[in-house]
Amino acid sequence: MICFIMVTRWPGVKYFKSDDRKTKMIGIIAWTLLILSTIFTVWIAYVWTEQTIQASINSVNTDFSY
């Protein structure tokens, strides 16, 4: 996520805008990895948060069931 904020300083942009075919491919690969890793990180954070909230709800529900 931080890479998206500082995208102008990230070297992948320089490679992506290059005229050289191999260098441009490196830029495309770098962007792809950045986007996939960001999606994966957000997904893992969402799943972890959902599990933590559900565990908290379950512990509250079991404590008050007499």
Side-chain angles (χ1 to χ4, degrees):
M1 297 295 275
I2 293 173
C3 289
F4 282 121
I5 295 169
M6 297 173 41
V7 75
T8 55
R9 296 185 149 198
W10 188 55
V13 175
K14 177 177 68 175
Y15 296 134
F16 184 73
K17 291 181 178 181
S18 175
D19 293 332
D20 184 30
R21 188 174 186 173
K22 287 184 180 181
T23 307
K24 189 172 193 114
M25 184 58 72
I26 291 171
I28 291 171
I29 292 170
W31 272 105
T32 304
L33 290 175
L34 175 68
I35 291 168
L36 290 176
S37 66
T38 301
I39 291 170
F40 179 75
T41 302
V42 169
W43 180 73
I44 288 293
Y46 174 78
V47 169
W48 179 79
T49 303
E50 283 288 316
Q51 289 176 348
T52 304
I53 291 171
Q54 191 62 43
S56 297
I57 290 171
N58 289 341
S59 71
V60 169
N61 288 339
T62 57
D63 288 344
F64 293 113
S65 59
Y66 292 99

CSV table of all heavy atoms in Angstrom, one decimal:
chain,number,residue,atom,x,y,z
A,1,MET,N,0.8,-1.2,0.0
A,1,MET,CA,0.0,0.0,0.0
A,1,MET,C,0.9,1.3,0.0
A,1,MET,O,0.5,2.2,-0.7
A,1,MET,CB,-0.9,0.0,1.2
A,1,MET,CG,-1.9,-1.1,1.3
A,1,MET,SD,-3.1,-1.1,-0.1
A,1,MET,CE,-4.3,0.0,0.6
A,2,ILE,N,1.9,1.2,0.7
A,2,ILE,CA,2.8,2.4,0.8
A,2,ILE,C,3.4,2.6,-0.6
A,2,ILE,O,3.6,3.8,-1.0
A,2,ILE,CB,3.9,2.2,1.9
A,2,ILE,CG1,3.2,2.2,3.3
A,2,ILE,CG2,4.9,3.3,1.8
A,2,ILE,CD1,4.2,1.8,4.4
A,3,CYS,N,3.7,1.5,-1.3
A,3,CYS,CA,4.2,1.7,-2.7
A,3,CYS,C,3.3,2.5,-3.6
A,3,CYS,O,3.7,3.2,-4.4
A,3,CYS,CB,4.6,0.4,-3.3
A,3,CYS,SG,6.0,-0.4,-2.5
A,4,PHE,N,2.0,2.3,-3.4
A,4,PHE,CA,1.0,3.1,-4.2
A,4,PHE,C,1.1,4.5,-3.9
A,4,PHE,O,0.9,5.4,-4.7
A,4,PHE,CB,-0.4,2.5,-4.0
A,4,PHE,CG,-0.6,1.3,-4.8
A,4,PHE,CD1,-1.0,0.1,-4.1
A,4,PHE,CD2,-0.5,1.2,-6.1
A,4,PHE,CE1,-1.3,-1.0,-4.8
A,4,PHE,CE2,-0.8,0.1,-6.8
A,4,PHE,CZ,-1.1,-1.1,-6.1
A,5,ILE,N,1.3,4.8,-2.6
A,5,ILE,CA,1.4,6.2,-2.2
A,5,ILE,C,2.6,6.9,-2.8
A,5,ILE,O,2.6,8.0,-3.2
A,5,ILE,CB,1.3,6.3,-0.7
A,5,ILE,CG1,0.0,5.9,-0.1
A,5,ILE,CG2,1.6,7.8,-0.2
A,5,ILE,CD1,-0.1,5.7,1.3
A,6,MET,N,3.7,6.2,-2.8
A,6,MET,CA,5.0,6.7,-3.2
A,6,MET,C,5.3,6.2,-4.6
A,6,MET,O,6.5,5.9,-4.9
A,6,MET,CB,6.1,6.4,-2.2
A,6,MET,CG,5.8,7.0,-0.8
A,6,MET,SD,7.0,6.4,0.4
A,6,MET,CE,8.5,6.4,-0.3
A,7,VAL,N,4.3,6.1,-5.5
A,7,VAL,CA,4.6,5.4,-6.8
A,7,VAL,C,5.5,6.2,-7.7
A,7,VAL,O,6.2,5.7,-8.5
A,7,VAL,CB,3.2,5.2,-7.5
A,7,VAL,CG1,2.6,6.5,-8.0
A,7,VAL,CG2,3.4,4.1,-8.6
A,8,THR,N,5.6,7.5,-7.5
A,8,THR,CA,6.5,8.3,-8.3
A,8,THR,C,8.0,8.0,-8.0
A,8,THR,O,8.8,8.2,-8.8
A,8,THR,CB,6.2,9.8,-8.2
A,8,THR,OG1,6.3,10.2,-6.8
A,8,THR,CG2,4.8,10.1,-8.7
A,9,ARG,N,8.2,7.6,-6.8
A,9,ARG,CA,9.6,7.3,-6.4
A,9,ARG,C,10.0,5.8,-6.6
A,9,ARG,O,11.1,5.4,-6.4
A,9,ARG,CB,9.8,7.7,-4.9
A,9,ARG,CG,9.6,9.1,-4.7
A,9,ARG,CD,10.0,9.5,-3.3
A,9,ARG,NE,10.5,10.8,-3.3
A,9,ARG,CZ,11.2,11.4,-2.4
A,9,ARG,NH1,11.4,10.7,-1.3
A,9,ARG,NH2,11.6,12.6,-2.5
A,10,TRP,N,9.0,5.0,-6.9
A,10,TRP,CA,9.2,3.6,-7.0
A,10,TRP,C,9.9,3.3,-8.4
A,10,TRP,O,9.4,3.8,-9.4
A,10,TRP,CB,7.9,2.9,-6.9
A,10,TRP,CG,8.0,1.4,-6.8
A,10,TRP,CD1,8.7,0.6,-6.0
A,10,TRP,CD2,7.3,0.5,-7.7
A,10,TRP,NE1,8.5,-0.7,-6.2
A,10,TRP,CE2,7.7,-0.8,-7.3
A,10,TRP,CE3,6.4,0.6,-8.7
A,10,TRP,CZ2,7.2,-2.0,-7.9
A,10,TRP,CZ3,5.9,-0.5,-9.4
A,10,TRP,CH2,6.3,-1.8,-8.9
A,11,PRO,N,10.9,2.5,-8.4
A,11,PRO,CA,11.7,2.3,-9.7
A,11,PRO,C,10.9,1.5,-10.7
A,11,PRO,O,11.2,1.6,-11.9
A,11,PRO,CB,12.9,1.4,-9.3
A,11,PRO,CG,13.0,1.5,-7.8
A,11,PRO,CD,11.6,1.9,-7.3
A,12,GLY,N,9.8,0.8,-10.4
A,12,GLY,CA,9.0,0.1,-11.3
A,12,GLY,C,8.4,1.0,-12.4
A,12,GLY,O,8.2,0.6,-13.5
A,13,VAL,N,8.1,2.2,-12.0
A,13,VAL,CA,7.5,3.2,-13.0
A,13,VAL,C,8.5,3.5,-14.0
A,13,VAL,O,8.2,3.6,-15.2
A,13,VAL,CB,7.1,4.5,-12.2
A,13,VAL,CG1,6.6,5.5,-13.2
A,13,VAL,CG2,6.0,4.1,-11.2
A,14,LYS,N,9.8,3.7,-13.6
A,14,LYS,CA,10.8,4.0,-14.6
A,14,LYS,C,11.0,2.9,-15.6
A,14,LYS,O,11.2,3.1,-16.8
A,14,LYS,CB,12.1,4.3,-13.8
A,14,LYS,CG,13.3,4.6,-14.7
A,14,LYS,CD,14.6,4.9,-13.9
A,14,LYS,CE,15.0,3.6,-13.2
A,14,LYS,NZ,16.3,3.8,-12.5
A,15,TYR,N,11.0,1.6,-15.1
A,15,TYR,CA,11.1,0.5,-15.9
A,15,TYR,C,9.9,0.3,-16.9
A,15,TYR,O,10.1,0.0,-18.0
A,15,TYR,CB,11.3,-0.8,-15.1
A,15,TYR,CG,12.6,-0.8,-14.3
A,15,TYR,CD1,12.6,-1.2,-13.0
A,15,TYR,CD2,13.8,-0.4,-14.8
A,15,TYR,CE1,13.7,-1.2,-12.2
A,15,TYR,CE2,14.9,-0.4,-14.1
A,15,TYR,CZ,14.9,-0.8,-12.8
A,15,TYR,OH,16.0,-0.8,-12.0
A,16,PHE,N,8.7,0.6,-16.4
A,16,PHE,CA,7.5,0.5,-17.1
A,16,PHE,C,7.5,1.5,-18.3
A,16,PHE,O,7.0,1.2,-19.4
A,16,PHE,CB,6.3,0.6,-16.2
A,16,PHE,CG,5.0,0.4,-17.0
A,16,PHE,CD1,4.6,-0.9,-17.3
A,16,PHE,CD2,4.2,1.5,-17.2
A,16,PHE,CE1,3.4,-1.1,-18.0
A,16,PHE,CE2,3.0,1.3,-17.9
A,16,PHE,CZ,2.6,0.0,-18.3
A,17,LYS,N,8.0,2.7,-18.1
A,17,LYS,CA,8.0,3.7,-19.1
A,17,LYS,C,9.1,3.6,-20.1
A,17,LYS,O,9.2,4.4,-21.0
A,17,LYS,CB,8.0,5.1,-18.4
A,17,LYS,CG,6.7,5.4,-17.7
A,17,LYS,CD,6.7,6.7,-17.1
A,17,LYS,CE,5.4,7.1,-16.4
A,17,LYS,NZ,5.4,8.4,-15.8
A,18,SER,N,10.0,2.7,-19.9
A,18,SER,CA,11.2,2.6,-20.7
A,18,SER,C,10.8,2.2,-22.2
A,18,SER,O,9.8,1.5,-22.4
A,18,SER,CB,12.2,1.5,-20.1
A,18,SER,OG,13.3,1.3,-21.0
A,19,ASP,N,11.7,2.5,-23.1
A,19,ASP,CA,11.5,2.1,-24.5
A,19,ASP,C,12.0,0.8,-24.8
A,19,ASP,O,11.6,0.1,-25.8
A,19,ASP,CB,12.1,3.2,-25.4
A,19,ASP,CG,11.4,4.5,-25.4
A,19,ASP,OD1,10.2,4.5,-25.1
A,19,ASP,OD2,12.1,5.5,-25.6
A,20,ASP,N,13.0,0.3,-24.0
A,20,ASP,CA,13.6,-1.0,-24.2
A,20,ASP,C,12.5,-2.1,-23.8
A,20,ASP,O,11.9,-2.0,-22.8
A,20,ASP,CB,14.8,-1.2,-23.3
A,20,ASP,CG,15.5,-2.5,-23.5
A,20,ASP,OD1,15.5,-3.0,-24.6
A,20,ASP,OD2,16.1,-3.0,-22.5
A,21,ARG,N,12.4,-3.1,-24.7
A,21,ARG,CA,11.4,-4.1,-24.5
A,21,ARG,C,11.6,-5.0,-23.2
A,21,ARG,O,10.7,-5.2,-22.5
A,21,ARG,CB,11.4,-5.1,-25.7
A,21,ARG,CG,10.3,-6.0,-25.7
A,21,ARG,CD,10.3,-6.8,-27.0
A,21,ARG,NE,9.1,-7.6,-27.1
A,21,ARG,CZ,8.8,-8.3,-28.1
A,21,ARG,NH1,9.5,-8.3,-29.2
A,21,ARG,NH2,7.7,-9.1,-28.1
A,22,LYS,N,12.9,-5.4,-22.9
A,22,LYS,CA,13.2,-6.2,-21.7
A,22,LYS,C,12.9,-5.4,-20.5
A,22,LYS,O,12.4,-5.9,-19.5
A,22,LYS,CB,14.6,-6.7,-21.8
A,22,LYS,CG,14.8,-7.8,-22.8
A,22,LYS,CD,16.2,-8.3,-22.7
A,22,LYS,CE,16.4,-9.4,-23.7
A,22,LYS,NZ,17.8,-10.0,-23.6
A,23,THR,N,13.3,-4.1,-20.5
A,23,THR,CA,13.2,-3.3,-19.3
A,23,THR,C,11.7,-3.0,-19.1
A,23,THR,O,11.2,-3.0,-17.9
A,23,THR,CB,13.9,-1.9,-19.5
A,23,THR,OG1,15.3,-2.2,-19.9
A,23,THR,CG2,13.9,-1.1,-18.3
A,24,LYS,N,10.9,-2.8,-20.1
A,24,LYS,CA,9.5,-2.6,-20.0
A,24,LYS,C,8.8,-3.9,-19.4
A,24,LYS,O,7.9,-3.8,-18.6
A,24,LYS,CB,8.8,-2.3,-21.3
A,24,LYS,CG,7.4,-1.9,-21.2
A,24,LYS,CD,6.9,-1.3,-22.5
A,24,LYS,CE,5.6,-0.6,-22.3
A,24,LYS,NZ,5.7,0.8,-22.5
A,25,MET,N,9.3,-5.1,-19.8
A,25,MET,CA,8.7,-6.3,-19.3
A,25,MET,C,9.0,-6.4,-17.8
A,25,MET,O,8.2,-6.9,-17.0
A,25,MET,CB,9.3,-7.5,-20.0
A,25,MET,CG,8.7,-8.8,-19.6
A,25,MET,SD,7.0,-9.0,-19.7
A,25,MET,CE,6.8,-9.1,-21.5
A,26,ILE,N,10.2,-6.0,-17.3
A,26,ILE,CA,10.5,-6.0,-15.9
A,26,ILE,C,9.6,-5.1,-15.2
A,26,ILE,O,9.1,-5.4,-14.1
A,26,ILE,CB,12.0,-5.6,-15.7
A,26,ILE,CG1,12.9,-6.7,-16.2
A,26,ILE,CG2,12.3,-5.3,-14.2
A,26,ILE,CD1,14.4,-6.3,-16.3
A,27,GLY,N,9.3,-3.9,-15.7
A,27,GLY,CA,8.3,-3.0,-15.1
A,27,GLY,C,6.9,-3.6,-15.0
A,27,GLY,O,6.3,-3.5,-14.0
A,28,ILE,N,6.5,-4.3,-16.0
A,28,ILE,CA,5.2,-5.0,-16.0
A,28,ILE,C,5.1,-6.0,-14.9
A,28,ILE,O,4.2,-6.1,-14.2
A,28,ILE,CB,4.8,-5.5,-17.4
A,28,ILE,CG1,4.6,-4.4,-18.4
A,28,ILE,CG2,3.6,-6.5,-17.3
A,28,ILE,CD1,4.5,-4.9,-19.8
A,29,ILE,N,6.2,-6.8,-14.8
A,29,ILE,CA,6.3,-7.9,-13.8
A,29,ILE,C,6.3,-7.2,-12.4
A,29,ILE,O,5.6,-7.7,-11.5
A,29,ILE,CB,7.5,-8.8,-14.0
A,29,ILE,CG1,7.3,-9.6,-15.3
A,29,ILE,CG2,7.7,-9.7,-12.8
A,29,ILE,CD1,8.6,-10.3,-15.8
A,30,ALA,N,7.0,-6.2,-12.3
A,30,ALA,CA,7.1,-5.5,-11.0
A,30,ALA,C,5.7,-4.9,-10.6
A,30,ALA,O,5.3,-5.1,-9.4
A,30,ALA,CB,8.1,-4.4,-11.0
A,31,TRP,N,5.0,-4.3,-11.5
A,31,TRP,CA,3.6,-3.8,-11.2
A,31,TRP,C,2.7,-4.9,-10.9
A,31,TRP,O,1.9,-4.8,-10.0
A,31,TRP,CB,3.1,-3.0,-12.4
A,31,TRP,CG,3.5,-1.6,-12.4
A,31,TRP,CD1,4.4,-1.0,-13.2
A,31,TRP,CD2,2.9,-0.6,-11.6
A,31,TRP,NE1,4.5,0.3,-12.9
A,31,TRP,CE2,3.6,0.6,-11.9
A,31,TRP,CE3,2.0,-0.6,-10.6
A,31,TRP,CZ2,3.3,1.8,-11.3
A,31,TRP,CZ3,1.7,0.6,-9.9
A,31,TRP,CH2,2.4,1.8,-10.3
A,32,THR,N,2.8,-6.0,-11.6
A,32,THR,CA,1.9,-7.2,-11.4
A,32,THR,C,2.1,-7.7,-10.0
A,32,THR,O,1.2,-8.0,-9.2
A,32,THR,CB,2.1,-8.3,-12.4
A,32,THR,OG1,1.9,-7.7,-13.7
A,32,THR,CG2,1.2,-9.4,-12.2
A,33,LEU,N,3.4,-7.9,-9.6
A,33,LEU,CA,3.7,-8.4,-8.3
A,33,LEU,C,3.3,-7.4,-7.2
A,33,LEU,O,2.8,-7.9,-6.1
A,33,LEU,CB,5.2,-8.7,-8.2
A,33,LEU,CG,5.8,-9.8,-9.0
A,33,LEU,CD1,7.3,-9.9,-8.9
A,33,LEU,CD2,5.1,-11.1,-8.5
A,34,LEU,N,3.4,-6.2,-7.4
A,34,LEU,CA,3.0,-5.2,-6.4
A,34,LEU,C,1.5,-5.2,-6.2
A,34,LEU,O,1.0,-5.3,-5.1
A,34,LEU,CB,3.4,-3.8,-6.9
A,34,LEU,CG,2.9,-2.6,-6.0
A,34,LEU,CD1,3.6,-2.7,-4.7
A,34,LEU,CD2,3.1,-1.3,-6.7
A,35,ILE,N,0.7,-5.3,-7.3
A,35,ILE,CA,-0.7,-5.3,-7.2
A,35,ILE,C,-1.2,-6.7,-6.6
A,35,ILE,O,-2.1,-6.6,-5.7
A,35,ILE,CB,-1.4,-5.2,-8.6
A,35,ILE,CG1,-1.1,-3.7,-9.1
A,35,ILE,CG2,-2.8,-5.5,-8.6
A,35,ILE,CD1,-1.4,-3.5,-10.6
A,36,LEU,N,-0.6,-7.8,-7.0
A,36,LEU,CA,-1.0,-9.1,-6.4
A,36,LEU,C,-0.7,-9.1,-4.9
A,36,LEU,O,-1.5,-9.6,-4.1
A,36,LEU,CB,-0.4,-10.2,-7.2
A,36,LEU,CG,-0.9,-10.5,-8.6
A,36,LEU,CD1,-0.1,-11.6,-9.2
A,36,LEU,CD2,-2.4,-10.8,-8.6
A,37,SER,N,0.5,-8.6,-4.6
A,37,SER,CA,0.9,-8.7,-3.1
A,37,SER,C,0.0,-7.8,-2.3
A,37,SER,O,-0.3,-8.1,-1.2
A,37,SER,CB,2.3,-8.4,-2.9
A,37,SER,OG,2.6,-7.0,-3.3
A,38,THR,N,-0.4,-6.6,-2.9
A,38,THR,CA,-1.3,-5.7,-2.2
A,38,THR,C,-2.7,-6.4,-2.0
A,38,THR,O,-3.2,-6.3,-0.9
A,38,THR,CB,-1.4,-4.4,-2.9
A,38,THR,OG1,-0.1,-3.8,-3.0
A,38,THR,CG2,-2.4,-3.4,-2.2
A,39,ILE,N,-3.2,-7.0,-3.0
A,39,ILE,CA,-4.5,-7.7,-2.9
A,39,ILE,C,-4.4,-8.8,-1.9
A,39,ILE,O,-5.3,-8.9,-1.0
A,39,ILE,CB,-4.9,-8.2,-4.3
A,39,ILE,CG1,-5.3,-7.0,-5.2
A,39,ILE,CG2,-6.1,-9.2,-4.1
A,39,ILE,CD1,-5.5,-7.4,-6.6
A,40,PHE,N,-3.3,-9.6,-1.9
A,40,PHE,CA,-3.2,-10.7,-0.9
A,40,PHE,C,-3.1,-10.1,0.5
A,40,PHE,O,-3.7,-10.7,1.4
A,40,PHE,CB,-1.9,-11.5,-1.3
A,40,PHE,CG,-1.6,-12.6,-0.4
A,40,PHE,CD1,-2.4,-13.7,-0.4
A,40,PHE,CD2,-0.6,-12.5,0.6
A,40,PHE,CE1,-2.2,-14.8,0.5
A,40,PHE,CE2,-0.4,-13.5,1.5
A,40,PHE,CZ,-1.1,-14.7,1.4
A,41,THR,N,-2.3,-9.1,0.7
A,41,THR,CA,-2.2,-8.5,2.0
A,41,THR,C,-3.5,-8.0,2.6
A,41,THR,O,-3.9,-8.2,3.7
A,41,THR,CB,-1.2,-7.3,2.0
A,41,THR,OG1,0.1,-7.9,1.5
A,41,THR,CG2,-1.0,-6.7,3.4
A,42,VAL,N,-4.3,-7.3,1.7
A,42,VAL,CA,-5.6,-6.8,2.1
A,42,VAL,C,-6.5,-7.9,2.5
A,42,VAL,O,-7.3,-7.9,3.5
A,42,VAL,CB,-6.2,-5.9,1.1
A,42,VAL,CG1,-7.6,-5.5,1.4
A,42,VAL,CG2,-5.4,-4.6,1.0
A,43,TRP,N,-6.5,-9.0,1.6
A,43,TRP,CA,-7.3,-10.1,1.9
A,43,TRP,C,-7.0,-10.8,3.2
A,43,TRP,O,-7.9,-11.2,4.0
A,43,TRP,CB,-7.2,-11.1,0.7
A,43,TRP,CG,-8.1,-12.3,0.9
A,43,TRP,CD1,-9.4,-12.4,0.8
A,43,TRP,CD2,-7.6,-13.6,1.2
A,43,TRP,NE1,-9.8,-13.7,1.0
A,43,TRP,CE2,-8.7,-14.5,1.3
A,43,TRP,CE3,-6.3,-14.2,1.5
A,43,TRP,CZ2,-8.6,-15.8,1.6
A,43,TRP,CZ3,-6.2,-15.5,1.8
A,43,TRP,CH2,-7.4,-16.3,1.8
A,44,ILE,N,-5.7,-11.0,3.4
A,44,ILE,CA,-5.3,-11.7,4.7
A,44,ILE,C,-5.7,-10.8,5.9
A,44,ILE,O,-6.1,-11.3,6.9
A,44,ILE,CB,-3.7,-11.9,4.7
A,44,ILE,CG1,-3.4,-13.0,3.7
A,44,ILE,CG2,-3.2,-12.2,6.1
A,44,ILE,CD1,-3.9,-14.4,4.1
A,45,ALA,N,-5.5,-9.5,5.8
A,45,ALA,CA,-5.9,-8.6,6.9
A,45,ALA,C,-7.4,-8.7,7.1
A,45,ALA,O,-7.9,-8.7,8.3
A,45,ALA,CB,-5.5,-7.2,6.6
A,46,TYR,N,-8.2,-8.8,6.1
A,46,TYR,CA,-9.7,-8.9,6.2
A,46,TYR,C,-10.1,-10.2,6.9
A,46,TYR,O,-10.9,-10.2,7.8
A,46,TYR,CB,-10.3,-8.8,4.8
A,46,TYR,CG,-11.8,-9.1,4.8
A,46,TYR,CD1,-12.7,-8.1,5.2
A,46,TYR,CD2,-12.3,-10.3,4.4
A,46,TYR,CE1,-14.0,-8.3,5.3
A,46,TYR,CE2,-13.7,-10.5,4.4
A,46,TYR,CZ,-14.5,-9.5,4.9
A,46,TYR,OH,-15.9,-9.8,4.9
A,47,VAL,N,-9.5,-11.3,6.4
A,47,VAL,CA,-9.8,-12.6,7.0
A,47,VAL,C,-9.4,-12.7,8.5
A,47,VAL,O,-10.1,-13.1,9.3
A,47,VAL,CB,-9.1,-13.8,6.2
A,47,VAL,CG1,-9.1,-15.1,6.9
A,47,VAL,CG2,-9.7,-13.9,4.8
A,48,TRP,N,-8.2,-12.2,8.8
A,48,TRP,CA,-7.7,-12.2,10.2
A,48,TRP,C,-8.7,-11.3,11.0
A,48,TRP,O,-9.0,-11.7,12.2
A,48,TRP,CB,-6.3,-11.6,10.2
A,48,TRP,CG,-5.8,-11.6,11.6
A,48,TRP,CD1,-5.3,-12.6,12.4
A,48,TRP,CD2,-5.7,-10.4,12.5
A,48,TRP,NE1,-4.9,-12.2,13.6
A,48,TRP,CE2,-5.1,-10.8,13.7
A,48,TRP,CE3,-6.0,-9.1,12.3
A,48,TRP,CZ2,-4.9,-10.0,14.7
A,48,TRP,CZ3,-5.8,-8.2,13.3
A,48,TRP,CH2,-5.2,-8.7,14.5
A,49,THR,N,-9.1,-10.2,10.6
A,49,THR,CA,-10.0,-9.3,11.3
A,49,THR,C,-11.3,-10.0,11.5
A,49,THR,O,-11.9,-9.9,12.6
A,49,THR,CB,-10.2,-8.0,10.6
A,49,THR,OG1,-8.9,-7.4,10.4
A,49,THR,CG2,-11.0,-7.0,11.4
A,50,GLU,N,-11.9,-10.6,10.5
A,50,GLU,CA,-13.1,-11.3,10.6
A,50,GLU,C,-13.0,-12.4,11.6
A,50,GLU,O,-14.0,-12.6,12.5
A,50,GLU,CB,-13.6,-11.9,9.3
A,50,GLU,CG,-14.1,-10.8,8.3
A,50,GLU,CD,-15.5,-10.4,8.8
A,50,GLU,OE1,-16.3,-11.2,9.1
A,50,GLU,OE2,-15.7,-9.2,8.7
A,51,GLN,N,-12.0,-13.2,11.6
A,51,GLN,CA,-11.8,-14.3,12.6
A,51,GLN,C,-11.7,-13.7,14.0
A,51,GLN,O,-12.2,-14.3,15.0
A,51,GLN,CB,-10.6,-15.1,12.2
A,51,GLN,CG,-10.8,-15.9,11.0
A,51,GLN,CD,-9.5,-16.7,10.6
A,51,GLN,OE1,-8.4,-16.4,11.1
A,51,GLN,NE2,-9.7,-17.6,9.7
A,52,THR,N,-11.0,-12.6,14.2
A,52,THR,CA,-10.8,-12.1,15.5
A,52,THR,C,-12.1,-11.5,16.0
A,52,THR,O,-12.5,-11.8,17.2
A,52,THR,CB,-9.8,-10.9,15.5
A,52,THR,OG1,-8.5,-11.4,14.9
A,52,THR,CG2,-9.5,-10.3,16.8
A,53,ILE,N,-12.9,-10.9,15.2
A,53,ILE,CA,-14.2,-10.4,15.6
A,53,ILE,C,-15.1,-11.5,15.9
A,53,ILE,O,-15.8,-11.5,17.0
A,53,ILE,CB,-14.8,-9.5,14.5
A,53,ILE,CG1,-14.0,-8.2,14.4
A,53,ILE,CG2,-16.3,-9.2,14.8
A,53,ILE,CD1,-14.4,-7.3,13.2
A,54,GLN,N,-15.1,-12.5,15.1
A,54,GLN,CA,-16.0,-13.7,15.4
A,54,GLN,C,-15.6,-14.4,16.7
A,54,GLN,O,-16.5,-14.8,17.4
A,54,GLN,CB,-15.9,-14.7,14.2
A,54,GLN,CG,-17.0,-15.7,14.2
A,54,GLN,CD,-18.4,-15.2,14.2
A,54,GLN,OE1,-18.7,-14.3,13.4
A,54,GLN,NE2,-19.3,-15.7,15.0
A,55,ALA,N,-14.3,-14.5,16.9
A,55,ALA,CA,-13.9,-15.1,18.2
A,55,ALA,C,-14.3,-14.3,19.4
A,55,ALA,O,-14.7,-14.9,20.4
A,55,ALA,CB,-12.4,-15.3,18.2
A,56,SER,N,-14.3,-13.0,19.3
A,56,SER,CA,-14.7,-12.1,20.4
A,56,SER,C,-16.2,-12.3,20.6
A,56,SER,O,-16.7,-12.3,21.7
A,56,SER,CB,-14.4,-10.7,20.0
A,56,SER,OG,-13.0,-10.5,20.0
A,57,ILE,N,-17.0,-12.3,19.5
A,57,ILE,CA,-18.4,-12.5,19.6
A,57,ILE,C,-18.8,-13.8,20.2
A,57,ILE,O,-19.6,-13.9,21.1
A,57,ILE,CB,-19.1,-12.3,18.2
A,57,ILE,CG1,-19.0,-10.9,17.8
A,57,ILE,CG2,-20.6,-12.8,18.3
A,57,ILE,CD1,-19.4,-10.6,16.3
A,58,ASN,N,-18.1,-14.9,19.8
A,58,ASN,CA,-18.3,-16.2,20.4
A,58,ASN,C,-18.0,-16.2,21.9
A,58,ASN,O,-18.7,-16.9,22.6
A,58,ASN,CB,-17.6,-17.2,19.6
A,58,ASN,CG,-18.1,-17.5,18.2
A,58,ASN,OD1,-19.3,-17.1,17.9
A,58,ASN,ND2,-17.3,-18.0,17.4
A,59,SER,N,-16.9,-15.6,22.3
A,59,SER,CA,-16.6,-15.6,23.7
A,59,SER,C,-17.6,-14.8,24.5
A,59,SER,O,-17.9,-15.2,25.7
A,59,SER,CB,-15.2,-15.1,23.9
A,59,SER,OG,-15.1,-13.7,23.7
A,60,VAL,N,-18.1,-13.8,24.0
A,60,VAL,CA,-19.1,-13.0,24.7
A,60,VAL,C,-20.4,-13.8,24.8
A,60,VAL,O,-21.1,-13.9,25.9
A,60,VAL,CB,-19.4,-11.6,24.0
A,60,VAL,CG1,-20.6,-11.0,24.6
A,60,VAL,CG2,-18.2,-10.7,24.2
A,61,ASN,N,-20.8,-14.5,23.7
A,61,ASN,CA,-22.0,-15.3,23.7
A,61,ASN,C,-21.9,-16.5,24.7
A,61,ASN,O,-22.9,-16.8,25.3
A,61,ASN,CB,-22.4,-15.7,22.3
A,61,ASN,CG,-22.9,-14.6,21.5
A,61,ASN,OD1,-23.3,-13.6,22.0
A,61,ASN,ND2,-22.8,-14.8,20.2
A,62,THR,N,-20.8,-17.1,24.8
A,62,THR,CA,-20.7,-18.3,25.6
A,62,THR,C,-20.6,-17.9,27.1
A,62,THR,O,-20.9,-18.6,28.0
A,62,THR,CB,-19.5,-19.1,25.3
A,62,THR,OG1,-18.3,-18.3,25.3
A,62,THR,CG2,-19.6,-19.7,23.9
A,63,ASP,N,-20.1,-16.7,27.4
A,63,ASP,CA,-20.0,-16.2,28.8
A,63,ASP,C,-21.3,-16.0,29.4
A,63,ASP,O,-21.5,-16.1,30.7
A,63,ASP,CB,-19.1,-15.0,28.9
A,63,ASP,CG,-17.6,-15.2,28.6
A,63,ASP,OD1,-17.2,-16.4,28.6
A,63,ASP,OD2,-16.9,-14.3,28.3
A,64,PHE,N,-22.3,-15.6,28.7
A,64,PHE,CA,-23.6,-15.2,29.2
A,64,PHE,C,-24.7,-16.2,29.0
A,64,PHE,O,-25.8,-16.0,29.3
A,64,PHE,CB,-24.1,-13.8,28.7
A,64,PHE,CG,-23.2,-12.7,29.1
A,64,PHE,CD1,-22.4,-12.0,28.2
A,64,PHE,CD2,-23.2,-12.3,30.4
A,64,PHE,CE1,-21.6,-11.0,28.6
A,64,PHE,CE2,-22.4,-11.3,30.8
A,64,PHE,CZ,-21.6,-10.6,29.9
A,65,SER,N,-24.3,-17.4,28.6
A,65,SER,CA,-25.4,-18.4,28.4
A,65,SER,C,-25.4,-19.3,29.6
A,65,SER,O,-24.6,-20.2,29.8
A,65,SER,CB,-25.1,-19.2,27.1
A,65,SER,OG,-23.8,-19.8,27.2
A,66,TYR,N,-26.4,-19.1,30.5
A,66,TYR,CA,-26.5,-19.9,31.7
A,66,TYR,C,-27.5,-21.0,31.6
A,66,TYR,O,-28.5,-21.0,31.3
A,66,TYR,CB,-27.0,-18.9,32.9
A,66,TYR,CG,-25.9,-17.9,33.3
A,66,TYR,CD1,-25.9,-16.6,32.8
A,66,TYR,CD2,-24.9,-18.3,34.1
A,66,TYR,CE1,-25.0,-15.7,33.1
A,66,TYR,CE2,-23.9,-17.4,34.5
A,66,TYR,CZ,-24.0,-16.1,34.0
A,66,TYR,OH,-23.0,-15.2,34.3
